[in-house]
Amino acid sequence: MNTQRSVLVAEDDENDRFLMKWAFQEAAVENPLYIVEDGQEAIEYLAGTGKYSDRIKYPLPFLVVLDLKMPRKTGLDVLRWLRLIPLLRCLPVMVFSSSAHPADVEAAYDGGANAFVVKPAGTQKRVELVKTLRDFWLTFNEPPAAAGGGLTLPAGL
């Protein structure tokens, strides 16, 4: 596992943020985990603007996990924005939602999501999910250069 491969999670629910951090610890994931609280903050992080302009402190992630329903900008808003940026359009994105409403699933994939996962109800299932994320996305998957694989984007993209 390449421990330099970071993950960005955009999640507005405090309990889900806590559970994600906990699951990463329980799964012994050593990769850096960055968490933002809404879609607008996710865009600022990915664009390297405002407090996220330091790419050493806030590197581009290898995987983005987006909650679907967030304030200011939804997960779909972030996904659409991401796919418009040539240097970021190949960045792997997993949509993480409380429900699998068919219209939401279709919208996520139409917007360019690489995966759509319903949030597991139990804590051990979340740990299993994080282990799967670690094993596939952070270990076996070969990311594009823009996903922290050597390309540094300018701040204020």
Side-chain angles (χ1 to χ4, degrees):
M1 169 176 45
N2 184 334
T3 58
Q4 298 306 309
R5 295 179 172 188
S6 62
V7 177
L8 175 65
V9 174
E11 173 61 64
D12 66 314
D13 184 87
E14 184 177 349
N15 291 327
D16 283 330
R17 288 193 305 267
F18 172 81
L19 287 172
M20 185 63 84
K21 288 178 195 175
W22 177 85
F24 265 71
Q25 291 171 345
E26 287 295 306
V29 176
E30 297 176 15
N31 301 70
L33 177 64
Y34 298 89
I35 298 179
V36 295
E37 296 184 8
D38 62 46
Q40 181 61 44
E41 194 176 359
I43 290 173
E44 291 167 8
Y45 183 105
L46 292 163
T49 58
K51 68 180 184 179
Y52 301 110
S53 63
D54 183 346
R55 282 294 183 211
I56 302 298
K57 190 173 179 182
Y58 302 106
L60 283 172
F62 276 69
L63 175 65
V64 177
V65 178
L66 295 174
D67 182 27
L68 197 57
K69 310 262 195 257
M70 293 185 288
R72 298 202 298 160
K73 299 277 185 192
T74 68
L76 291 177
D77 293 335
V78 176
L79 185 59
R80 288 184 197 109
W81 173 86
L82 198 64
R83 296 310 186 223
L84 292 174
I85 306 300
L87 293 172
L88 297 177
R89 75 175 54 162
C90 291
L91 189 63
V93 175
M94 181 184 90
V95 173
F96 198 47
S97 179
S98 296
S99 72
H101 190 278
D104 290 338
V105 175
E106 289 297 320
Y109 282 114
D110 284 346
N114 300 94
F116 189 103
V117 175
V118 176
K119 296 175 184 177
T123 56
Q124 286 311 310
K125 286 290 186 188
R126 284 203 188 219
V127 172
E128 288 176 35
L129 172 63
V130 168
K131 286 179 181 178
T132 301
L133 291 178
R134 176 198 63 204
D135 293 345
F136 180 76
W137 292 108
L138 302 175
T139 303
F140 293 112
N141 185 51
E142 287 298 326
L151 178 64
T152 303
L153 296 176
L157 184 77

